[in-house]
Amino acid sequence: MSEVKVTALPSPPTGFGAALSMGVEEEFLLVDAGTGAPAPAAGAVLGDADGVLDLQAEITRYQVESATSVCLTTAEIRDQLVVSRQTLSDLAREHGTRVVATGTPVFGAQRPPPLTDDRRYRAIAQRYGPLVDGLTICGCHVHIGIPDEETGVLISNHLRPWLPVLLAISANSPFFEGRDTGYASWRYVTWSPWPSAGAPPWFASAADYHRGTGTLRTSGAAMDAAMIYWDVRLSANHPTVELRVCDVAATVDEAVLIAALVRAVAATAVAGAPALPVSDLALRTSLWRAARDGVGGLGVEPRTGQLVPAADRVRALLEWARPALQVHGDEELADEGVARLLVDGDGAARQRRAFRRRGSLTDVVDLLVEQT
C-alpha cells in the first residue's frame, strides 16, 4: 500500500469504449405508521414478497434492502428503483409500517438492535460487541461491472478524490434518535468506528489491494472478505467495484444521479485518465467535512487543502465527468439533477426544513415517507 503526493487535477480523456454496466442497492428503515419509531418488522414485510424483485433482509430487523439487476442505462436503474420502492412501501403498509429512505432513524431505536436471525450476523455481534449498536443505518451502494480486478482497483483510485463530493450529494441523515446531530450525514460518522470502514488506501495493483485486505482479515478487523467495509471496494460476491460512501438517497432521482456520476468517473478511469492522488489524511478530513456540511456548506479542495463552497466541488465533479456523461447519454440528467440539488438542498437540508415548520420530528418522518 503506497503513499502518494497530491498533484494537479488531471484532464479527462476524449475516447470511451462500451458502456459500463451498473447496479444499485438501497437500504431502508421500517417505521411504525403511528409513532414513526423504527419497527422490527423486516421478517413479516419480506415474508410477503413474491420473489420477483431482489428484496432482502439486513443485519437488523428494522431494515430492508432492494437491489436492481445489472443495468446499462440510467433509465433502467430508475425504472427498477421506482418499482422496488413502491413494492416495499405497499408491503410495509400491510403490516402497519412505512418505508423511509434516511441514513439514520429520526426517533430512537432499541439498543442493541434486534438482529436478523442469521449465524453470520450473530458472529459479527459477538466479535465486535457494541459497535453493532450503531448499525441501524442505511446507505446506497453503486456497483460498476468490471472485467478484472486490476480495472476495479483503477476505478477505486479514481473514485477516491471524489468520495467526499458523492457523500455530500447523498447526505440524508441529520437526525438521530430524536435530536439534530449538527451533521448532514450522521450515518457516515456512526459507521466510521468500524475498523474496516472509511476510505480505501491508494493501491498500486490488485495484488496490493489484496495485501491490504489481508491485513484487515489477519488482524481481525474484518471477519471475512464481505466485511471489507471501505467506501470503495471490490465486491466479495460480484464482478464489480462497489461504491459504499453514500447515505441512502432521499429520492429515486437522487439515487439515479449518484449512479450516473459514479459510472462516469469509472468510465473516465477506464478510458485512460490519470487519477488524482490524494493522501489518506487529506481524504479523511475531506470526508469529515462532507459529513458535517453536505452540499450546503464547505468542502475541501484536494489540490490545496483549502475550504471552498461544497457546491463548487459538486460542479467540479460534474465538469470533470462531463465527457463520460455525454457518451452515456446522462449529461442532461446530471445537469438537471445537480441544479435541482443545489437549489433545493440535499436530503439533510430538506429534513431540517420540514422540522423547522412546526418543530415536529413527525413532520420529518412524513416527509421521508413522501420522498421515498
Side-chain angles (χ1 to χ4, degrees), residues 271-346:
L276 170 64
V278 179
S279 72
D280 292 347
L281 177 60
L283 192 51
R284 179 179 174 85
T285 55
S286 297
L287 283 161
W288 173 82
R289 192 79 215 190
R292 178 68 172 77
D293 285 11
V295 299
L298 297 174
V300 180
E301 214 294 327
R303 291 167 295 182
T304 65
Q306 298 301 306
L307 290 176
V308 298
D312 288 355
R313 298 297 303 136
V314 175
R315 295 187 187 99
L317 170 57
L318 182 63
E319 291 309 312
W320 189 77
R322 186 171 296 280
L325 291 167
Q326 290 172 339
V327 166
H328 291 102
D330 293 331
E331 182 180 25
E332 183 177 359
L333 177 153
D335 282 337
E336 292 179 354
V338 166
R340 185 165 54 249
L341 180 76
L342 297 183
V343 170
D344 295 341
D346 52 37

Side-chain angles (χ1 to χ4, degrees), residues 22-321:
M22 56 187 168
V24 174
E25 297 171 348
E26 295 191 292
E27 299 164 347
F28 304 99
L29 286 177
L30 294 168
V31 299
D32 185 271
T35 67
V45 169
L46 294 174
D48 289 344
D50 59 14
V52 175
L53 298 175
D54 191 352
L55 307 178
Q56 305 171 21
E58 258 294 334
I59 189 167
T60 81
R61 290 191 281 122
Y62 296 133
Q63 298 162 283
V64 291
E65 179 185 81
S66 71
T68 70
S69 63
V70 177
C71 299
L72 289 177
T73 69
T74 49
E76 292 176 87
I77 292 286
R78 189 182 194 285
D79 289 346
Q80 292 190 31
L81 293 181
V82 167
V83 171
S84 61
R85 285 188 178 212
Q86 186 61 61
T87 300
L88 281 171
S89 296
D90 293 343
L91 292 171
R93 284 190 176 88
E94 295 175 7
H95 295 276
T97 62
R98 299 291 184 267
V99 173
V100 293
T102 182
T104 50
V106 174
F107 290 103
Q110 176 184 331
R111 288 183 178 233
L115 299 184
T116 298
D117 187 15
D118 178 89
R119 183 175 64 179
R120 184 170 181 276
Y121 292 153
R122 290 193 296 272
I124 290 173
Q126 182 176 12
R127 178 174 295 192
Y128 300 98
L131 283 178
V132 173
D133 292 357
L135 286 187
T136 308
I137 54 176
C138 297
C140 173
H141 304 163
V142 178
H143 288 258
I144 302 297
I146 53 174
D148 52 59
E149 290 187 336
E150 296 294 346
T151 302
V153 170
L154 175 72
I155 292 171
S156 174
N157 287 340
H158 277 73
L159 282 167
R160 286 179 81 250
W162 300 114
L163 290 174
V165 182
L166 294 164
L167 174 58
I169 288 171
S170 74
N172 186 35
S173 51
F175 295 100
F176 181 64
E177 298 187 344
R179 61 173 290 196
D180 188 331
T181 65
Y183 283 76
S185 175
W186 187 246
R187 178 204 65 89
Y188 193 79
V189 177
T190 300
W191 185 236
S192 297
W194 281 82
S196 60
W202 173 285
F203 292 110
S205 64
D208 194 20
Y209 177 91
H210 286 297
R211 282 191 290 271
T213 60
T215 298
L216 292 176
R217 294 196 304 275
T218 301
S219 68
M223 195 169 67
D224 51 34
M227 276 195 71
I228 303 302
Y229 289 149
W230 284 327
D231 296 335
V232 187
R233 70 178 184 183
L234 301 182
S235 172
N237 301 312
H238 307 287
T240 64
V241 59
E242 179 185 4
L243 179 102
R244 300 169 50 86
V245 74
C246 294
D247 284 7
V248 63
T251 67
V252 166
D253 286 342
E254 285 164 293
V256 175
L257 171 63
I258 291 166
L261 291 171
V262 172
R263 181 169 66 170
V265 174
T268 303
V270 173
L276 170 64
V278 179
S279 72
D280 292 347
L281 177 60
L283 192 51
R284 179 179 174 85
T285 55
S286 297
L287 283 161
W288 173 82
R289 192 79 215 190
R292 178 68 172 77
D293 285 11
V295 299
L298 297 174
V300 180
E301 214 294 327
R303 291 167 295 182
T304 65
Q306 298 301 306
L307 290 176
V308 298
D312 288 355
R313 298 297 303 136
V314 175
R315 295 187 187 99
L317 170 57
L318 182 63
E319 291 309 312
W320 189 77

